[in-house]
Amino acid sequence: MYNFRNDYSEAAHPAVLSAIAAHNGEHVIGYGADDYCASAAQLIKNLCRCPEADVQFLIGGTQTNFTAIAAFLRPWEGVICAHTGHVNGHEGGAVEATGHKLLQAHAAPDGKLTPELILPLVEEGRNEHVVLPRLVYISDATENGVVYTLAELEALSACCRANNLLLFLDGARLGAAFGAAENDVTLPDLARLTDAFYIGGTKNGALMGEALVIVNPALQEGFFRIKKQRGAVLAKGWLLGLQFQTLLEDGLYWTIARHAVDMAQALQSGLEAMGIPMAPRSASNMVFPVVPDSLLPVLDALCAYEVWTRQDERHTVIRLVTSFATQAADVEGFLSDLKAAL
Amino acid sequence: MYNFRNDYSEAAHPAVLSAIAAHNGEHVIGYGADDYCASAAQLIKNLCRCPEADVQFLIGGTQTNFTAIAAFLRPWEGVICAHTGHVNGHEGGAVEATGHKLLQAHAAPDGKLTPELILPLVEEGRNEHVVLPRLVYISDATENGVVYTLAELEALSACCRANNLLLFLDGARLGAAFGAAENDVTLPDLARLTDAFYIGGTKNGALMGEALVIVNPALQEGFFRIKKQRGAVLAKGWLLGLQFQTLLEDGLYWTIARHAVDMAQALQSGLEAMGIPMAPRSASNMVFPVVPDSLLPVLDALCAYEVWTRQDERHTVIRLVTSFATQAADVEGFLSDLKAAL
Amino acid sequence: MYNFRNDYSEAAHPAVLSAIAAHNGEHVIGYGADDYCASAAQLIKNLCRCPEADVQFLIGGTQTNFTAIAAFLRPWEGVICAHTGHVNGHEGGAVEATGHKLLQAHAAPDGKLTPELILPLVEEGRNEHVVLPRLVYISDATENGVVYTLAELEALSACCRANNLLLFLDGARLGAAFGAAENDVTLPDLARLTDAFYIGGTKNGALMGEALVIVNPALQEGFFRIKKQRGAVLAKGWLLGLQFQTLLEDGLYWTIARHAVDMAQALQSGLEAMGIPMAPRSASNMVFPVVPDSLLPVLDALCAYEVWTRQDERHTVIRLVTSFATQAADVEGFLSDLKAAL
Amino acid sequence: MYNFRNDYSEAAHPAVLSAIAAHNGEHVIGYGADDYCASAAQLIKNLCRCPEADVQFLIGGTQTNFTAIAAFLRPWEGVICAHTGHVNGHEGGAVEATGHKLLQAHAAPDGKLTPELILPLVEEGRNEHVVLPRLVYISDATENGVVYTLAELEALSACCRANNLLLFLDGARLGAAFGAAENDVTLPDLARLTDAFYIGGTKNGALMGEALVIVNPALQEGFFRIKKQRGAVLAKGWLLGLQFQTLLEDGLYWTIARHAVDMAQALQSGLEAMGIPMAPRSASNMVFPVVPDSLLPVLDALCAYEVWTRQDERHTVIRLVTSFATQAADVEGFLSDLKAAL
């Protein structure tokens, strides 16, 4: 049985586990006040060419999203997001549980926000009887596997700055975004164009962990305290620093992300070659084939995957995801087994 | 330099890391819906002789405390705790951030709650203009290293049931409590006497993780959803299940806890033999010597420790903590080095 | 200048003010524990033929909505509402500020919810990674001036009960709803079909005040405490009881509501007779003419009104509202002045 | 039966009710955007000699406290208050319900805060694992009837500014404070020394209403939106403006406050003359006699009052409160009836 269920099915890249094992004997100070975190943070600031950034390590994506949003906003302020945004549909109402409203824009199937989608919400927010739009949440790669171009991010950033909006980028799958063939965005671009963003570890080789880069100095105050308050300070915080150091110091993070994207793109091309369309076409490590419902039992027997949504009366969109652990042989095997079954 | 700073300075017990490495190749379903979690949960229910319990794995202590309290209480209900309770003084206002007031009882230096401390707060709560006391929070071992006796827990439990109060036990250091010489409490006792409690992994050999045992069926509804909402669902949740399985299936959890307690008690006896008093005397893996301020530079040179509080104009209470990683040689070396320095 | 801005432009119906003046010399116990509140509550229970209801007086509509929702729901539960619902677009994110997500259904222009709109949200909520839909919020009259029929409410109620959903009816304009010609709903119907609803005072003759009827006994616990906590307990609470007693004991509430509806319907007919369409046609005390933009300056000079929304490139929907204070002469004068100006 | 239960037993000073009746026919714009509110706000700014202040009208004291605190603080910040503070013991956990911890100082029986009580909490707050103390809450008059001197407020203000703390003064009974013989504080003093304070209407002649004066410009942003969000925007907001205008434009507010204080002081002197001690001696419109328990049945028959607390095994502290509606004849009659009963 092939596994394309998601990119967090395996514990960690072997190099990450080895690093932890290698340092297991050490006594390290708790709560992230250690040298591993300091050095990983410095590494990230260097990679972003942004010495004034504050780098904070948290445990998971939902936690990073709501802790950052709660830290950045005042009680009367809200978040503009795509209706398909992870914060809106996959996080148990975590943002609202911090007291903030999500102002949803009806995005295209690719899940991208644009100035055109944002501006009407800004307009509505001029009415003082509603929530003030103050932060724009985007994900790169999006929940639908698509990546932003530099031009798109620049347009979003300009729109945000012109409208007193913070730009926050959920990078749970930033590796996969940067691994996409059409990607032309870099870490210094993100540091220049957003107010805060994060580099996801959980979905790209770490046991767990997200590295939040708070670029805007006005948003840095008090962050450790709110992290503690929201349960996002790991007692053995140095484990997060060590993992990011291991992943980033020699570029392993980007190598394994590119590998995952390559595997997914091979899956996508192979499926398209069999006449199976995509919805939408993905650039990253997740692909979304539209399959006839009659094919589902065949797929159930072949591989682990997720049902994404219904396309129409007789078709289903499924999601196949690859990771550092996906082998070229898995992709080829799956494609040939599927072809045989058709 | 000896290390007695705390019990979460090292990554994990080697057996825990080995187990993770051994299973690293596997593809496991996410978010704790896996077999490792199921089997660890079953193991815990067996150990508690409580088949109707719901076992939930979370990442850390602060997170477990506020998620459980937020799940169990209605908005107008509050928490009775000792003023020394971890929720009150060490968690960044995490409980209040979920909207619930802490009703503090002024506890004795051992940090224990008693019916005598609870009842006046129940009385005040009859006034409908204040928060309704609804949950009693205790820690075992307490923040001051003391453990509850079975008779004390029975009295607390009876008091709670007579006054419509839930009893919640923070077991971040439950291993150390159960490892104490004077302990006469068992897991089935906790399952019988509390509404919920947890078995701490972070401070007893795991990389991270707490196993929350929700005994009271009325408190079990919706727990996965609120866990997700508060960022407490680990994507690779199986890592928590696997660690608890490793620690509990052959009793390793209790062995390493007893070792840590033995090391701390040896420290305590050795210090007392040098004429250094304790405040209060500890039963668990943390000891609280009262040292003259003039000794602090000597200690700074000898070991890592924490300043706990000021005792008087010329004395300081310090905290020394031991763990699975503390060696008998460390204790002996420290004591003899200290004696030499005096 | 005619006034059709809203139904809360004037202080109170003269009988209400007289009642307050008549009792001003008395010493009355605070916080609603008085005889006026008791007697008004009893009157409402009688009118609803629902002796087991709990009647609670609050100060305003937004406050009643969020206090009730916060009282009724657990943290992981959310609210299904029309995207046009008052809680969604006019209350400053008050529900989200209590931690609960609004799950918006895209309603028809009349602003009504139906089982067809609710069921897909129930379906999505089966996924444990999202908020559990638990309460359905409707307004009668809706924000767009339309009223529910008994058959519609019965269908909603059946749908809610079949899906473990609470039904909560915002009755800020319940007087206007019941004053509509097509209304066939009664207070005993609401007590039978909903879990809670309220009878709005602010928009129908009171200085301020809403009477919340909590029909479902499971939702009654702790309500005074949460009311206090959310600032909804008026020190001189007896003023609310006295006003509702004055409005309800001889049917004044319904008389003035019917008068307001009659005035609005005369406006609507008069405007339609001039060829001005409605969007949608209203049954209550608010009418929504679609006027060419060129008419706006004429209207600005003639009356106070509110711009509701844009209809298309050259037309605007405006809102005209009537109240107990609207005179037949105002309506006639306005219509004839407008006709003259056209 | 005499009435000394509290200062909110009667509807309103007759002049206030007359003003409302006189303007009842008018059509006034909603939500406080009217001329009455504008003119009352200007009057208050003039009285405070503080043109840059923002004056906001809210409905009640609890609501004003939690809305202001929620507006002024970031999520990781807390409130220093006396353990006897109204926010701590009488408001249903309203501040905690907005997510903020109260850091309680154990105040003297007069209920006053001092720099000596504040500084240790500031010290504890340097630890990043706890809530950051950021706002000091005081009440004038205190909950125990005592008033601050100008020197005391100056010391508090200096302490706050030196420690990056906001100073917020609950003036629910500011009239009674300023009516005290020993008062030497003025509105311009409050504007100079605090960041925000309020002038209470509910307990000094208004139907309801508090006038919040936000002196610090950094705290003014977004206040209307959060007021709306917390249910503190009255639809007929002009009623609040009109009442404050009526009370303040010719000094009626101070006249009736002084009258209430005079009545309370006469009560206090009369009781002391009978040998009944006070706990503590009051300067304002509330007095706290310590009476033998055997006297309680006599008092029950004579007047309405509140039991405040137990003094010892055989004595109770009761609270007697006066208002604009208390007559000299009531005080004299009560004292002579009590003397006769002794």
Side-chain angles (χ1 to χ4, degrees):
Chain A
M1 179 113 149
Y2 303 102
N3 181 58
F4 303 117
R5 193 193 307 275
N6 57 47
D7 36 15
Y8 43 86
S9 291
E10 297 84 19
H13 189 277
V16 166
L17 266 194
S18 300
I20 294 175
H23 294 275
N24 193 21
E26 294 172 19
H27 307 301
V28 191
I29 198 164
Y31 303 119
D34 62 273
D35 291 344
Y36 297 109
C37 286
S39 120
Q42 189 54 54
L43 186 53
I44 288 169
K45 290 194 272 189
N46 294 347
L47 291 170
C48 295
R49 281 187 227 130
C50 187
E52 70 278 18
D54 180 34
V55 177
Q56 297 275 350
F57 300 103
L58 295 95
I59 303 163
T62 294
Q63 185 185 75
T64 305
N65 287 333
F66 75 73
T67 304
I69 287 169
F72 298 164
L73 297 189
R74 308 298 300 272
W76 57 88
E77 297 175 339
V79 174
I80 293 177
C81 66
H83 75 290
T84 52
H86 204 267
V87 285
N88 190 40
H90 306 272
E91 302 187 356
V95 171
E96 289 90 349
T98 71
H100 297 284
K101 190 179 183 74
L102 297 179
L103 304 159
Q104 304 162 34
H106 198 84
D110 59 12
K112 284 185 188 175
L113 274 188
T114 61
E116 291 64 40
L117 288 166
I118 290 170
L119 289 172
L121 292 166
V122 170
E123 212 48 52
E124 284 177 27
R126 299 203 194 286
N127 174 359
E128 283 204 307
H129 287 248
V130 304
V131 159
L132 180 72
R134 173 70 174 131
L135 181 145
V136 170
Y137 165 95
I138 57 173
S139 331
D140 190 28
T142 72
E143 297 72 12
N144 298 316
V146 176
V147 304
Y148 281 92
T149 65
L150 182 56
E152 288 168 341
L153 285 182
E154 282 180 331
L156 278 174
S157 182
C159 169
C160 287
R161 284 172 189 172
N163 290 284
N164 196 29
L165 294 166
L166 302 169
L167 182 56
F168 175 61
L169 186 145
D170 172 337
R173 289 201 174 93
L174 191 66
F178 280 18
E182 51 262 68
N183 177 66
D184 57 355
V185 180
T186 65
L187 286 179
D189 290 331
L190 292 186
R192 180 172 52 88
L193 298 171
T194 74
D195 292 280
F197 68 96
Y198 60 99
I199 304 173
T202 302
K203 290 169 176 165
N204 196 35
L207 284 173
M208 75 281 185
E210 315 294 304
L212 174 65
V213 185
I214 310 178
V215 180
N216 183 338
L219 303 180
Q220 295 171 359
E221 189 204 335
F223 201 87
F224 181 85
R225 290 190 199 246
I226 195 170
K227 216 168 68 164
K228 179 77 193 170
Q229 183 181 74
R230 307 302 163 123
V233 171
L234 198 63
K236 302 175 183 179
W238 64 279
L239 294 172
L240 302 174
L242 177 62
Q243 291 182 87
F244 274 98
Q245 190 184 324
T246 305
L247 287 165
L248 289 168
E249 68 191 347
D250 297 319
L252 177 62
Y253 185 86
W254 314 110
T255 307
I256 65 183
R258 221 170 304 117
H259 169 78
V261 172
D262 289 348
M263 293 298 99
Q265 296 301 312
L267 270 177
Q268 186 166 248
S269 309
L271 291 164
E272 288 178 327
M274 292 179 217
I276 296 175
M278 300 293 138
R281 200 161 200 286
S282 160
S284 71
N285 73 325
M286 308 195 289
V287 303
F288 297 87
V290 185
V291 300
D293 294 345
S294 57
L295 197 61
L296 295 177
V298 176
L299 287 163
D300 291 346
L302 260 185
C303 71
Y305 67 95
E306 284 199 0
V307 168
W308 196 241
T309 186
R310 289 211 60 76
Q311 176 83 347
D312 58 35
E313 290 297 295
R314 284 180 303 178
H315 292 81
T316 297
V317 182
I318 67 164
R319 188 185 75 164
L320 306 179
V321 191
T322 57
S323 78
F324 69 86
T326 310
Q327 304 298 322
D330 297 333
V331 173
E332 289 153 20
F334 166 75
L335 290 171
S336 93
D337 288 2
L338 183 64
K339 193 175 272 175
L342 285 177
Chain B
M1 180 113 147
Y2 302 103
N3 182 58
F4 303 117
R5 193 193 307 275
N6 57 46
D7 37 13
Y8 42 87
S9 290
E10 297 83 20
H13 188 277
V16 167
L17 267 194
S18 300
I20 294 174
H23 295 275
N24 192 22
E26 294 173 21
H27 307 302
V28 191
I29 198 165
Y31 303 119
D34 62 90
D35 292 344
Y36 297 108
C37 286
S39 120
Q42 189 55 54
L43 186 54
I44 289 170
K45 291 194 270 189
N46 294 348
L47 290 170
C48 295
R49 283 188 226 127
C50 186
E52 71 277 18
D54 181 33
V55 177
Q56 296 274 349
F57 300 103
L58 296 94
I59 302 161
T62 294
Q63 186 185 74
T64 306
N65 287 333
F66 77 72
T67 304
I69 287 169
F72 299 165
L73 298 189
R74 308 296 301 272
W76 56 88
E77 297 176 339
V79 175
I80 292 176
C81 66
H83 74 290
T84 51
H86 204 268
V87 284
N88 190 41
H90 306 271
E91 303 188 353
V95 172
E96 289 91 349
T98 71
H100 297 284
K101 189 180 184 74
L102 297 179
L103 304 159
Q104 305 163 31
H106 196 83
D110 59 12
K112 284 184 187 175
L113 273 189
T114 61
E116 290 65 39
L117 288 166
I118 290 169
L119 290 172
L121 292 166
V122 170
E123 211 49 50
E124 283 178 26
R126 299 203 195 285
N127 174 358
E128 283 204 308
H129 287 247
V130 303
V131 160
L132 181 71
R134 174 69 174 132
L135 181 145
V136 170
Y137 165 95
I138 57 174
S139 330
D140 192 28
T142 71
E143 297 73 11
N144 298 316
V146 177
V147 304
Y148 281 92
T149 65
L150 182 56
E152 288 168 341
L153 286 181
E154 282 180 331
L156 278 174
S157 183
C159 168
C160 287
R161 283 171 190 170
N163 289 285
N164 196 28
L165 294 165
L166 302 169
L167 183 56
F168 175 60
L169 186 145
D170 171 337
R173 290 200 174 94
L174 192 66
F178 280 18
E182 50 262 68
N183 178 65
D184 59 352
V185 179
T186 64
L187 286 179
D189 289 331
L190 292 186
R192 179 172 53 87
L193 297 172
T194 74
D195 293 280
F197 69 95
Y198 61 99
I199 304 173
T202 302
K203 290 170 177 163
N204 196 36
L207 283 173
M208 75 282 187
E210 316 292 305
L212 174 65
V213 185
I214 310 179
V215 181
N216 182 339
L219 304 180
Q220 296 172 358
E221 189 202 338
F223 201 87
F224 181 84
R225 289 190 200 245
I226 195 170
K227 215 168 68 163
K228 180 78 194 167
Q229 184 181 73
R230 307 304 162 121
V233 171
L234 197 64
K236 301 174 183 180
W238 65 278
L239 293 172
L240 301 174
L242 177 61
Q243 291 182 89
F244 275 98
Q245 191 184 323
T246 304
L247 287 166
L248 288 168
E249 70 191 346
D250 297 319
L252 177 62
Y253 185 85
W254 313 110
T255 307
I256 64 183
R258 222 169 302 120
H259 168 78
V261 172
D262 289 348
M263 294 297 100
Q265 296 301 312
L267 271 176
Q268 185 165 251
S269 309
L271 291 165
E272 287 177 329
M274 291 181 218
I276 295 174
M278 299 293 138
R281 199 160 200 286
S282 160
S284 71
N285 73 325
M286 308 196 290
V287 301
F288 297 87
V290 185
V291 300
D293 293 347
S294 55
L295 199 60
L296 295 177
V298 176
L299 287 163
D300 290 347
L302 261 185
C303 71
Y305 67 96
E306 284 200 358
V307 168
W308 195 241
T309 186
R310 291 210 59 76
Q311 177 82 346
D312 58 36
E313 291 297 297
R314 285 179 301 178
H315 293 82
T316 297
V317 182
I318 66 165
R319 189 184 75 164
L320 306 180
V321 191
T322 58
S323 79
F324 69 86
T326 310
Q327 304 299 322
D330 298 332
V331 172
E332 289 153 21
F334 167 73
L335 289 171
S336 91
D337 289 2
L338 182 64
K339 195 175 271 176
L342 285 177
Chain C
M1 179 114 147
Y2 304 103
N3 181 58
F4 303 117
R5 193 192 308 273
N6 57 46
D7 36 14
Y8 42 87
S9 290
E10 298 85 19
H13 188 277
V16 166
L17 266 194
S18 300
I20 293 174
H23 294 276
N24 193 21
E26 294 173 19
H27 307 301
V28 190
I29 198 165
Y31 303 120
D34 62 274
D35 291 345
Y36 298 108
C37 286
S39 120
Q42 189 54 55
L43 185 54
I44 289 169
K45 290 194 272 189
N46 294 347
L47 290 171
C48 294
R49 281 186 226 130
C50 187
E52 71 278 16
D54 180 33
V55 177
Q56 297 274 349
F57 299 103
L58 296 96
I59 302 163
T62 294
Q63 185 185 74
T64 305
N65 287 333
F66 76 72
T67 304
I69 287 169
F72 299 164
L73 296 189
R74 307 298 301 273
W76 58 88
E77 296 175 340
V79 174
I80 293 177
C81 67
H83 75 290
T84 52
H86 204 268
V87 284
N88 190 41
H90 305 273
E91 301 188 355
V95 172
E96 289 90 349
T98 71
H100 297 285
K101 191 179 183 73
L102 297 179
L103 304 159
Q104 304 163 33
H106 197 82
D110 59 12
K112 283 185 188 175
L113 274 189
T114 61
E116 291 65 39
L117 288 166
I118 290 170
L119 290 172
L121 292 167
V122 170
E123 211 48 52
E124 284 177 26
R126 299 204 194 285
N127 173 359
E128 283 204 306
H129 287 248
V130 304
V131 159
L132 180 71
R134 173 68 175 133
L135 182 145
V136 170
Y137 165 96
I138 57 173
S139 330
D140 191 28
T142 71
E143 297 72 13
N144 297 316
V146 176
V147 304
Y148 280 92
T149 64
L150 182 56
E152 288 168 339
L153 286 182
E154 281 179 331
L156 278 174
S157 182
C159 169
C160 286
R161 284 173 188 169
N163 289 285
N164 197 28
L165 295 166
L166 301 169
L167 182 56
F168 175 61
L169 186 145
D170 172 338
R173 289 200 174 92
L174 191 66
F178 279 18
E182 51 262 68
N183 177 66
D184 58 354
V185 180
T186 65
L187 286 179
D189 290 331
L190 293 186
R192 182 171 52 88
L193 297 171
T194 74
D195 292 280
F197 68 96
Y198 60 100
I199 304 173
T202 302
K203 289 170 176 165
N204 196 36
L207 284 173
M208 76 280 186
E210 316 293 304
L212 174 65
V213 185
I214 310 178
V215 180
N216 182 339
L219 304 180
Q220 295 172 359
E221 189 202 336
F223 201 86
F224 181 85
R225 290 190 199 245
I226 195 170
K227 216 169 69 165
K228 179 76 193 169
Q229 184 182 73
R230 307 303 162 123
V233 171
L234 198 63
K236 302 175 183 178
W238 64 279
L239 293 172
L240 301 175
L242 177 62
Q243 291 182 87
F244 274 98
Q245 191 184 322
T246 304
L247 287 165
L248 288 168
E249 69 191 347
D250 297 320
L252 176 62
Y253 186 86
W254 313 109
T255 307
I256 65 184
R258 221 169 303 119
H259 169 78
V261 173
D262 288 349
M263 294 297 99
Q265 296 301 311
L267 271 176
Q268 186 166 249
S269 310
L271 291 164
E272 287 178 327
M274 292 180 217
I276 296 175
M278 299 294 138
R281 201 163 199 285
S282 161
S284 72
N285 74 324
M286 308 195 291
V287 302
F288 296 87
V290 185
V291 300
D293 293 346
S294 57
L295 198 61
L296 295 177
V298 176
L299 286 163
D300 290 346
L302 260 184
C303 72
Y305 66 96
E306 285 199 359
V307 167
W308 196 241
T309 186
R310 290 212 59 78
Q311 176 83 347
D312 58 35
E313 290 296 296
R314 284 179 302 176
H315 292 82
T316 297
V317 182
I318 67 164
R319 189 184 75 165
L320 306 179
V321 190
T322 57
S323 79
F324 70 86
T326 311
Q327 304 298 322
D330 298 332
V331 173
E332 289 153 21
F334 167 74
L335 290 171
S336 93
D337 288 2
L338 182 64
K339 193 175 270 174
L342 286 177
Chain D
M1 181 111 150
Y2 302 103
N3 181 58
F4 303 116
R5 193 193 306 275
N6 57 47
D7 37 12
Y8 42 87
S9 291
E10 298 83 19
H13 188 277
V16 166
L17 267 195
S18 300
I20 295 175
H23 295 275
N24 193 21
E26 294 172 21
H27 307 303
V28 190
I29 198 165
Y31 304 120
D34 62 274
D35 292 345
Y36 298 108
C37 286
S39 119
Q42 189 55 54
L43 185 54
I44 289 170
K45 290 195 271 189
N46 293 348
L47 290 170
C48 295
R49 283 188 225 128
C50 187
E52 70 278 18
D54 181 34
V55 178
Q56 296 275 349
F57 300 103
L58 296 95
I59 302 163
T62 295
Q63 185 185 75
T64 305
N65 287 334
F66 76 72
T67 304
I69 287 169
F72 298 165
L73 297 189
R74 308 297 300 273
W76 57 87
E77 297 175 339
V79 175
I80 293 177
C81 66
H83 74 290
T84 52
H86 204 268
V87 284
N88 190 41
H90 306 271
E91 302 188 353
V95 171
E96 289 90 350
T98 70
H100 297 284
K101 190 179 184 74
L102 297 179
L103 304 159
Q104 305 163 32
H106 197 84
D110 60 11
K112 284 185 188 175
L113 274 189
T114 60
E116 290 66 38
L117 288 166
I118 290 169
L119 290 172
L121 292 166
V122 170
E123 211 48 52
E124 284 177 28
R126 299 202 196 285
N127 174 358
E128 283 204 307
H129 288 247
V130 302
V131 160
L132 180 71
R134 173 68 173 133
L135 181 145
V136 170
Y137 165 96
I138 57 174
S139 330
D140 192 28
T142 72
E143 297 71 14
N144 298 315
V146 177
V147 305
Y148 281 92
T149 64
L150 182 56
E152 288 168 340
L153 286 181
E154 282 179 331
L156 278 174
S157 182
C159 169
C160 286
R161 283 171 191 171
N163 289 285
N164 197 28
L165 294 165
L166 302 169
L167 182 57
F168 175 60
L169 186 145
D170 172 338
R173 289 200 174 93
L174 191 66
F178 279 19
E182 50 263 68
N183 178 66
D184 58 353
V185 179
T186 64
L187 286 179
D189 290 332
L190 293 186
R192 180 172 53 88
L193 298 172
T194 74
D195 292 280
F197 68 96
Y198 60 99
I199 304 173
T202 302
K203 290 170 177 164
N204 196 36
L207 283 173
M208 75 282 185
E210 317 292 304
L212 174 65
V213 185
I214 310 179
V215 181
N216 183 339
L219 304 180
Q220 295 172 358
E221 188 201 337
F223 201 87
F224 181 84
R225 289 190 200 244
I226 195 170
K227 215 168 68 164
K228 180 77 194 167
Q229 184 181 74
R230 307 303 162 121
V233 172
L234 197 64
K236 301 175 184 179
W238 64 279
L239 293 172
L240 301 175
L242 177 61
Q243 291 183 88
F244 275 97
Q245 191 184 325
T246 305
L247 287 166
L248 288 167
E249 69 191 345
D250 297 320
L252 176 61
Y253 185 85
W254 313 110
T255 307
I256 64 183
R258 222 170 303 119
H259 168 78
V261 172
D262 289 347
M263 294 297 99
Q265 297 300 312
L267 270 176
Q268 185 165 249
S269 309
L271 290 165
E272 287 178 328
M274 291 181 219
I276 295 174
M278 300 292 138
R281 199 159 201 286
S282 160
S284 71
N285 73 325
M286 308 195 290
V287 301
F288 296 87
V290 186
V291 300
D293 294 347
S294 57
L295 199 61
L296 295 176
V298 176
L299 287 162
D300 290 348
L302 261 184
C303 71
Y305 67 96
E306 284 200 358
V307 168
W308 195 242
T309 187
R310 290 211 58 76
Q311 176 81 347
D312 58 36
E313 290 298 295
R314 286 179 300 178
H315 293 81
T316 296
V317 182
I318 67 165
R319 189 185 74 165
L320 306 179
V321 191
T322 57
S323 79
F324 70 85
T326 310
Q327 303 298 322
D330 297 333
V331 173
E332 288 154 21
F334 167 74
L335 289 172
S336 92
D337 288 2
L338 182 64
K339 194 174 272 178
L342 286 177

